[in-house]
């Protein structure tokens, strides 16, 4: 995984360049592949449901044709 400090630094760097439409969401305790509901050792139901909701909202906002 990518260290949290690196993720936050990347987000700050993007925002400092004027990319105000940037949102990073960190899910504490959610490992890589937390969306994978066929892998109980990594699946995190609440995090994956929130992430999916956010993805759909992003697509709805930015990909309407």
């Amino acid at each position: 995984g990518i260290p949290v400090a690196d993720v936050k630094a990347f987000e700050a760097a993007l925002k400092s360049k004027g990319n105000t439409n940037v949102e990073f969401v960190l899910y504490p305790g959610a490992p890589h592949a937390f969306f994978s509901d066929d892998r109980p050792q990594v699946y995190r139901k609440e995090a994956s449901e929130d992430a999916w909701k956010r993805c759909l909202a992003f697509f709805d906002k930015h990909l309407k044709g």
Side-chain angles (χ1 to χ4, degrees):
I2 303 169
V4 171
D6 291 352
V7 173
K8 290 183 178 185
F10 183 51
E11 180 182 25
L14 288 172
K15 287 182 176 180
S16 75
K17 301 295 181 190
N19 295 304
T20 58
N21 197 24
V22 173
E23 179 185 17
F24 283 53
V25 178
L26 300 173
Y27 297 99
H32 179 77
F34 70 91
F35 231 88
S36 189
D37 62 359
D38 63 332
R39 297 174 57 202
Q41 68 275 23
V42 295
Y43 180 61
R44 301 297 185 270
K45 182 178 180 4
E46 289 179 16
S48 65
E49 288 176 353
D50 183 68
W52 185 243
K53 178 180 71 174
R54 290 173 181 274
C55 285
L56 292 178
F58 177 87
F59 293 153
D60 188 49
K61 180 177 179 180
H62 297 284
L63 299 180
K64 286 194 170 192

